[in-house]
Amino acid sequence: MAETSARRVWCERALLADGVGEGVTIDIADGMITAVADRTDAAGAERLAGLTVPGFANAHSHAFHRALRGRTHGGPGDFWSWREQMYAVASRLTPDNYRDLATATFAEMLLAGYTSVGEFHYVHHQPDGTPYADPNAMGLAIIDAARATGIRLTLLDACYLRSGARQPVLAEQARFSDGTAAAWAERVELLTDDAMTRIGAAVHSVRAVDAESIGVVAEHARRRSMPLHAHVSEQLAENEQVFEEYECTPTELLARQGALNEHFTAVHATHLQQIDIDLLAARRCVCCFCPTTERDLADGIGPSSGLRTAGVRLSIGSDQHVAIDPFEEMRGIEMDERLRSRRRGTHPASELITAGTSHGYASLGWPAGGRIAVGALADLTTIGLDSVRLAGCDRRADALLDAVVFAAAAADVSDVIVGGRTVVRAGKHVSIDVADALERSIRAVTDGAPA
Amino acid sequence: MAETSARRVWCERALLADGVGEGVTIDIADGMITAVADRTDAAGAERLAGLTVPGFANAHSHAFHRALRGRTHGGPGDFWSWREQMYAVASRLTPDNYRDLATATFAEMLLAGYTSVGEFHYVHHQPDGTPYADPNAMGLAIIDAARATGIRLTLLDACYLRSGARQPVLAEQARFSDGTAAAWAERVELLTDDAMTRIGAAVHSVRAVDAESIGVVAEHARRRSMPLHAHVSEQLAENEQVFEEYECTPTELLARQGALNEHFTAVHATHLQQIDIDLLAARRCVCCFCPTTERDLADGIGPSSGLRTAGVRLSIGSDQHVAIDPFEEMRGIEMDERLRSRRRGTHPASELITAGTSHGYASLGWPAGGRIAVGALADLTTIGLDSVRLAGCDRRADALLDAVVFAAAAADVSDVIVGGRTVVRAGKHVSIDVADALERSIRAVTDGAPA
């Protein structure tokens, strides 16, 4: 889907490697940035007002959870009771209705300025566990959805084999399981990368995959330099279960099984111990925080300060999509740390932007993404500065990053370019009526929605 | 400013005393609701699509802090270092530029669905402490600003007499002080209520007002049944200072001095002890939480669960205006409680809406506000349900409240009526270009803003 013809855009302001530049001309060819110059005039180029930043990476998404927004937040309970509601939607998915739902959800991400998404995908088979005629029918539906919207996709195909220690999958988990890690690998091997799609791997969690199978998945990913993600220590119960089974932490188990390296991302990483932080740092892993989800699911506050001190890269994800807003996720890391520590300024705006962009791109297997520089992917997000939220902000270089990270909202995103192609213009997707697509596709997978 | 002519509006959905009704006709005369009927058709009435709720009360505002948005969030430090930056803006205020800034800020509140505001006002005099020719020049500028926008105002005129225990005001606090509580009362006595304005009182904090003077302010408010607000236990340092001076908690001191009754609101109430919660409950006080500020200033998480259990009413405020979004504040109470307790569902959506509406109105001295019922103030906020944020939500009665409280944003507000008069229509203020007004008025009070 990348634009092959060359184009030139001129940004009123743009975030470059050394800070915010003014009057920035960006040349693009074959989906890549071929030249960048600041203090230029706009003559002959398409003009982007506001602040242009590298497009944001949504490093952790379950697209179908978008159907749950507004439907699961009010009641009592915890992660586990929420999961029952989530499984009810999962049970209704088909390749066709999932394609529609993922298309609408990915389009909402583009409107919010996310130019890439890591779809952590585990609904593989028919509800009773029988494979579809094409065993990758569901994954291919997600790839089709990304293509239809223009978002860059890493399909993190997740291995899911059991309901807990030495327990087979539950009936409602049957469609997640390939039976064995070898069967998972065989199926995943049929999927192929392209210019806008990368195939990655995932261990759903150490709950859902036994140690030996974790080793098989890790080896498969390592041989192919694939991104490998896993839900890690989102809940204390997971830590307790793993300790009972293996007498170690989830992170230690993943390390033992060869999963931890620079291609590994620990998602949530909420209830880590210091030994886990040290391991993740030593193996140069990424941690993906999902603050809007971690609040909503009452997970707790992860050790972002300790991870930062240890040098672990952070990224962001909208996960269950109670909100799709990279600004909320970026500032959420710092805001929750403030609530925990009662100190401001652990994570400067510049680092939060890096979490939202280049660390996310790296986590998703696109090391050439997440920056505005020659040789980078031409994925760009432009933030208007003229809304009531940002009116009056200090527009001088670094001060502007503070305003954008701490006060902007998804609705401030005006233009989005992915792989050199404009997909959002003046706040609208170029080809999809996103609200209508969401309404129709969510209605198709939920009971009792209004007719 | 209230509309005196009668009008009739028809709401596709409206939040009534017994839940969400459909096809609701509301008759309005002299700024009050005179009739409500559901399951009606729209014939002859102005049509409001979406969900209409009682207008939100912003029970704690410092309007001039809006100029700080995006300018104070990135650095290190805590509440006290933030305060230095805030004082720098306070030093530049004049009645003229404050009128402009408050006008723009109140207009932004209306766009977000706040129909009333409690302006906690302490910048009374010239920078060196000399009164203006009219000693209420600053307060009157705020009243003018509210009138210009159409928002309902409670001017909480704050007594501020010292910098700490037995310490005179600092130079940068000189303009806050009337010298004595008696002089404060004499000045406040010159201000008068009208249909859209209530004069209330405030003890800035137990740091800034000595015990005897607290008694004077409390007595003044009690005799006039005025709302009385105070910043209470926002910081642990305040608790420590008060204990050193009085050997009690801030709440205990306020109780001793006669401040606590059903007209009293404790703002923030972050670091309360159980004895404080019991006192606030016994005296039927309100606590105003300001989650977006309390996160930003690294204050900590207040005991919303304990207050709820004790039966203390909660309200919301945007305080320093890092965000002006009642949905963020309402859900912030529950989200921060989830982070603290790791349990969901302490505060149901219906209670959070009550905090945002009727408890806030009560806190601001408008007991007839905050509900859609005969005899109530005709202050109404309509939330569109067709944005990408709310598309696909469950529109059935109570489920809709969950969606709105947990997933809506200020940008979803379409129409706002205050005192029977439309002030926001289709997402725009009827007479003010709000972004432009913010840009101009903030530039006037900040250094180094772009030309």
Side-chain angles (χ1 to χ4, degrees):
Chain A
M1 294 297 280
E3 191 84 351
T4 51
S5 62
R7 65 189 292 196
R8 168 174 287 185
V9 298
W10 181 88
C11 309
E12 191 178 15
R13 291 176 177 81
L15 177 58
L16 307 176
D18 55 352
V20 174
E22 300 198 1
V24 177
T25 293
I26 302 173
D27 287 320
I28 297 169
D30 294 326
M32 309 293 287
I33 295 172
T34 56
V36 178
D38 65 353
R39 301 184 189 187
T40 61
D41 66 40
E46 298 162 63
R47 188 187 158 91
L48 294 170
L51 173 68
T52 298
V53 298
F56 297 109
N58 192 351
H60 189 65
S61 160
H62 303 288
F64 77 90
H65 293 193
R66 174 62 183 84
L68 298 164
R69 184 186 299 171
R71 294 169 186 265
T72 67
H73 317 297
D78 57 12
F79 171 89
W80 308 99
S81 52
W82 167 84
R83 195 177 75 161
E84 292 173 25
Q85 300 173 286
M86 183 269 283
Y87 281 174
V89 171
S91 73
R92 296 190 198 103
L93 297 175
T94 67
D96 279 346
N97 69 28
Y98 200 4
R99 180 186 304 106
D100 293 345
L101 179 54
T103 299
T105 304
F106 292 158
E108 185 182 351
M109 290 181 197
L110 286 166
L111 292 181
Y114 286 120
T115 47
S116 63
V117 58
E119 177 64 23
F120 194 111
H121 170 56
Y122 57 87
V123 186
H124 301 303
H125 305 296
Q126 297 183 56
D128 67 356
T130 309
Y132 289 101
D134 184 327
N136 283 306
M138 292 294 257
L140 293 169
I142 290 167
I143 292 171
D144 283 353
R147 283 185 183 144
T149 66
I151 202 166
R152 189 179 299 280
L153 172 71
T154 297
L155 184 71
L156 298 157
D157 194 303
C159 185
Y160 197 118
L161 302 174
R162 62 182 198 168
S163 63
R166 295 171 294 277
Q167 295 295 320
V169 288
L170 305 172
E172 58 268 36
Q173 297 163 338
R175 67 187 313 190
F176 308 162
S177 176
D178 292 292
T180 66
W184 167 87
E186 191 178 334
R187 181 177 53 71
V188 173
E189 195 71 357
L190 301 173
L191 294 164
T192 52
D193 291 351
D194 65 34
M196 292 288 283
T197 313
R198 275 219 68 175
I199 307 304
V203 167
H204 177 279
S205 57
V206 294
R207 280 184 288 111
V209 186
D210 60 275
E212 187 183 340
S213 299
I214 291 171
V216 172
V217 175
E219 175 69 5
H220 182 91
R222 194 187 60 70
R223 284 179 179 271
R224 290 157 186 78
S225 298
M226 291 166 102
L228 173 63
H229 286 216
H231 294 115
V232 177
S233 295
E234 180 176 6
Q235 299 294 321
L236 282 172
E238 175 180 301
N239 288 6
E240 291 157 10
Q241 289 160 15
V242 170
F243 190 82
E244 192 175 322
E245 189 176 5
Y246 298 106
E247 295 193 342
C248 66
T249 69
T251 302
E252 286 179 298
L253 181 64
L254 288 159
R256 277 187 207 166
Q257 301 310 108
L260 302 196
N261 58 44
E262 74 270 30
H263 302 299
F264 180 78
T265 296
V267 178
H268 300 303
T270 308
H271 300 287
L272 296 184
Q273 300 183 25
Q274 188 60 46
I275 191 172
D276 302 327
I277 293 174
D278 295 341
L279 270 171
L280 293 165
R283 309 294 173 90
R284 306 189 308 287
C285 305
V286 179
C287 283
C288 182
F289 274 42
C290 308
T292 65
T293 293
E294 290 147 13
R295 283 177 195 155
D296 184 57
L297 296 186
D299 291 341
I301 300 175
S304 66
S305 173
L307 288 165
R308 179 182 183 275
T309 301
V312 177
R313 293 169 292 169
L314 300 181
S315 63
I316 59 166
S318 67
D319 191 1
Q320 52 125 356
H321 314 307
V322 61
I324 290 183
D325 185 329
F327 308 98
E328 275 291 317
E329 306 297 347
M330 288 188 292
R331 66 177 163 255
I333 294 174
E334 167 68 12
M335 290 299 134
D336 292 351
E337 176 61 23
R338 291 184 189 188
L339 288 176
R340 194 192 64 73
S341 68
R342 297 211 287 270
R343 294 294 299 174
R344 308 180 94 201
T346 297
H347 304 281
S350 59
E351 293 185 14
L352 295 168
I353 288 260
T354 299
T357 55
S358 67
H359 289 170
Y361 269 78
S363 159
L364 296 179
W366 303 98
R371 59 187 185 276
I372 299 178
V374 173
L377 299 175
D379 293 5
L380 304 170
T381 288
T382 303
I383 301 150
L385 303 177
D386 52 0
S387 71
V388 294
R389 284 173 293 280
L390 295 177
C393 68
D394 186 343
R395 295 183 179 182
R396 288 171 303 181
D398 291 345
L400 186 54
L401 288 191
D402 284 350
V404 163
V405 169
F406 292 109
D412 294 321
V413 170
S414 61
D415 294 84
V416 177
I417 291 172
V418 187
R421 190 166 73 102
T422 294
V423 289
V424 173
R425 182 176 286 129
K428 307 267 187 230
H429 192 278
V430 292
S431 62
I432 299 171
D433 177 338
V434 182
D436 181 65
L438 286 164
E439 186 73 33
R440 283 185 297 104
S441 63
I442 291 170
R443 199 181 293 163
V445 299
T446 51
D447 280 333
Chain B
M1 295 296 282
E3 189 86 352
T4 51
S5 61
R7 64 188 293 196
R8 169 172 287 186
V9 298
W10 181 88
C11 309
E12 192 179 14
R13 292 176 175 80
L15 177 58
L16 307 177
D18 55 353
V20 174
E22 299 197 3
V24 177
T25 293
I26 303 173
D27 286 322
I28 298 169
D30 294 326
M32 309 292 286
I33 295 172
T34 55
V36 178
D38 65 353
R39 301 184 189 190
T40 62
D41 65 42
E46 300 161 63
R47 188 187 158 91
L48 295 169
L51 173 68
T52 298
V53 299
F56 297 109
N58 191 351
H60 189 65
S61 161
H62 305 288
F64 77 90
H65 292 193
R66 175 61 182 84
L68 298 163
R69 184 186 298 172
R71 294 167 187 267
T72 67
H73 316 298
D78 58 12
F79 171 88
W80 308 99
S81 52
W82 167 83
R83 195 178 74 161
E84 292 173 27
Q85 300 172 285
M86 184 268 284
Y87 280 173
V89 171
S91 72
R92 296 188 199 106
L93 297 175
T94 67
D96 278 346
N97 69 28
Y98 201 3
R99 180 186 305 104
D100 293 346
L101 178 54
T103 300
T105 304
F106 292 159
E108 186 183 350
M109 291 179 196
L110 286 166
L111 292 181
Y114 286 120
T115 48
S116 63
V117 58
E119 178 63 24
F120 194 109
H121 170 56
Y122 57 87
V123 185
H124 301 303
H125 306 297
Q126 298 184 56
D128 67 355
T130 310
Y132 288 101
D134 183 326
N136 283 306
M138 292 294 257
L140 293 169
I142 290 166
I143 292 171
D144 284 351
R147 284 184 183 144
T149 64
I151 203 166
R152 189 180 299 279
L153 173 70
T154 296
L155 184 72
L156 297 158
D157 194 301
C159 185
Y160 196 118
L161 301 174
R162 60 181 200 167
S163 63
R166 296 170 293 277
Q167 295 296 320
V169 286
L170 305 173
E172 58 268 36
Q173 297 163 338
R175 63 187 316 189
F176 308 162
S177 176
D178 292 291
T180 66
W184 168 86
E186 192 178 332
R187 181 178 54 72
V188 172
E189 196 71 357
L190 301 172
L191 294 163
T192 51
D193 292 351
D194 65 33
M196 292 288 283
T197 313
R198 275 220 68 174
I199 308 303
V203 168
H204 178 279
S205 57
V206 293
R207 279 185 289 113
V209 186
D210 59 274
E212 187 182 340
S213 299
I214 290 172
V216 173
V217 175
E219 176 69 5
H220 183 91
R222 194 188 59 73
R223 284 178 179 273
R224 290 158 186 79
S225 298
M226 290 166 102
L228 174 62
H229 287 215
H231 293 116
V232 177
S233 296
E234 181 176 5
Q235 299 295 321
L236 280 172
E238 174 180 301
N239 288 5
E240 291 158 10
Q241 290 160 13
V242 170
F243 190 82
E244 192 174 323
E245 188 176 6
Y246 299 107
E247 296 193 341
C248 67
T249 69
T251 302
E252 286 179 298
L253 182 65
L254 288 159
R256 280 186 207 166
Q257 300 310 109
L260 303 196
N261 58 43
E262 73 271 29
H263 302 298
F264 180 79
T265 296
V267 178
H268 301 302
T270 308
H271 300 287
L272 297 183
Q273 300 182 26
Q274 188 59 45
I275 190 171
D276 302 327
I277 293 174
D278 294 341
L279 271 170
L280 293 164
R283 308 295 173 87
R284 306 189 306 286
C285 304
V286 178
C287 283
C288 182
F289 274 43
C290 308
T292 65
T293 293
E294 290 147 13
R295 282 177 196 155
D296 184 57
L297 297 186
D299 291 342
I301 300 174
S304 66
S305 173
L307 289 164
R308 178 182 184 276
T309 302
V312 177
R313 292 169 292 169
L314 300 180
S315 64
I316 59 166
S318 66
D319 191 2
Q320 52 125 357
H321 314 307
V322 61
I324 292 184
D325 185 329
F327 307 98
E328 274 292 316
E329 307 296 347
M330 289 189 291
R331 66 178 163 253
I333 295 174
E334 167 68 12
M335 291 298 135
D336 291 350
E337 176 62 22
R338 290 184 190 189
L339 288 177
R340 194 193 63 73
S341 68
R342 298 213 286 271
R343 293 295 301 174
R344 309 180 93 200
T346 297
H347 305 280
S350 59
E351 292 185 15
L352 295 168
I353 287 260
T354 299
T357 56
S358 67
H359 289 170
Y361 269 77
S363 160
L364 296 179
W366 302 98
R371 59 185 184 276
I372 299 178
V374 173
L377 299 175
D379 294 4
L380 304 170
T381 289
T382 303
I383 301 149
L385 303 178
D386 52 2
S387 71
V388 293
R389 286 173 292 280
L390 295 177
C393 68
D394 186 343
R395 295 183 179 181
R396 288 171 302 181
D398 292 345
L400 186 53
L401 288 191
D402 284 349
V404 163
V405 169
F406 293 109
D412 294 321
V413 169
S414 60
D415 294 84
V416 176
I417 292 171
V418 187
R421 189 167 74 100
T422 295
V423 290
V424 172
R425 182 175 286 127
K428 307 266 186 227
H429 192 278
V430 292
S431 63
I432 298 171
D433 178 337
V434 183
D436 181 65
L438 286 164
E439 186 72 33
R440 283 185 297 102
S441 62
I442 292 169
R443 200 180 293 163
V445 299
T446 50
D447 280 333

